[in-house]
Amino acid sequence: MKTIAIVDDHLLFAESLQKLVESFDEYKVIFHATNGKQFIGQLSEDNSKPDIVLMDINMPIMSGIETMQWLKDNLPDQKVLALSMDDSEATIIQMLRLGARGYLLKDINPEDFEKALKDVSDKGFYFSDRVTSTLLDNLDKDPSKQEITLKDREIEFLKLACTEKTYKSIADEMFLSPKTIDGYRETLFEKLHVKSRIGLVLYAIKHNIIEV
Amino acid sequence: MKTIAIVDDHLLFAESLQKLVESFDEYKVIFHATNGKQFIGQLSEDNSKPDIVLMDINMPIMSGIETMQWLKDNLPDQKVLALSMDDSEATIIQMLRLGARGYLLKDINPEDFEKALKDVSDKGFYFSDRVTSTLLDNLDKDPSKQEITLKDREIEFLKLACTEKTYKSIADEMFLSPKTIDGYRETLFEKLHVKSRIGLVLYAIKHNIIEV
DNA sequence: TAGAAATAGGGTGAAAATCCCCGTTTCCAG
DNA sequence: CTGGAAACGGGGATTTTCACCCTATTTCTA
């Protein structure tokens, strides 16, 4: 009997998923958490290590990404299956890089889900064809798109660009000259392969840099 | 024994939810559909009318809103509980206006969920405190925000405004003069209470007019 | 330790977006 | 049949954004 923990802020989904998991009768859900912080708390509190953690990416307070980072630092052997609504390529890559053993989209069918649990238990990982092809796509892609890393200041600017402020007032807010803002804009246009402020906004939303 | 149909494109969630529903043992899930079109097909095919439909809002091909519209026209007595991740006020209002008997956020806890099923069966509706307060908020709000209805052509323009095209090329695409586009822009700025194209994009995303 | 890279800033000019006020047609309701 | 929306188009002006040119620090690193 394998033990499972579920980390997801959608209670209805979490408890439903528990029923599904337990209908497989080789698995038992030992606890839920609604965000990473709570999960970490319960880990140490109960002193119970689940065999597999099913972890949502988008959660309030402490996201799946942040939680994976913590696990990587503190419990690197913990097996985690990421579970998410969206299949943003960047997110998938990031979670796997942080040590997730697989990435499940919520539209996976329950048979595949059971296989994922089994594979992670037995083989240590599970990759759906869709995720595998995302990985492959990412391999042979031109290096420019390979990995876009934004600096803190760039992210700060990007967030402000996703408001109705003018660049001038963004400059004020960041204590920079409008010309410097011009520089950030151009850098981001190039990095993100967009041509306008609208493109910046769309990028930011797609990559969860701003909330919607 | 009440019969339930689940309409949700997230298979994992749908099947999990089925387990949860059936753990209540007064309910039985008679079928799933992954979008509105499939649901309508199954309704007539099986000739089986579920007592309650649990319907997701965001689905490919035919959304929850479109499906509610169809039900309103064709099966106005069908009891529907809307089920959604997001609590965009406009969406809640719209679903209820189209005849949904309640609106459940996916972070509802299972006890409340069971109560929702029971209430809909017995009383015909279920409103959580959160949804109720949204409704109340909406009542006494200034009429300007009361109900924003966009015309087809405006929505068409709005979608194009959420791309990196210039207004000039949007005009071409809509077979209109750039000046007319100017008019649409200004109308929307006023209607949506925004001041820039960025505002349009943010509005469109928040109200699910475009996908992200 | 030279040179890349990151950071901050500047000038100019063109293109796009924004704003305000106006005219035409069409079409529907009172 | 008439008056008023609604859809479409326009003149003209300002502001904002965007593009492409450049320099001067600092910091990191090969």
Side-chain angles (χ1 to χ4, degrees), chain B residues 6 17-18 33 45 60 79 91 99 115-116 120 138 154 161-162 189:
Chain B
I6 297 178
L17 188 62
Q18 169 168 3
E45 196 177 293
K79 287 174 181 163
T91 313
K115 176 157 169 38
V120 170
N138 198 260
E154 283 172 348
C162 297
F189 278 10

Side-chain angles (χ1 to χ4, degrees), chain A residues 151 153 176-177 179-180 184:
Chain A
K151 303 183 212 321
R153 206 71 170 145
L176 292 174
S177 138
K179 291 310 285 186
T180 306
Y184 280 114

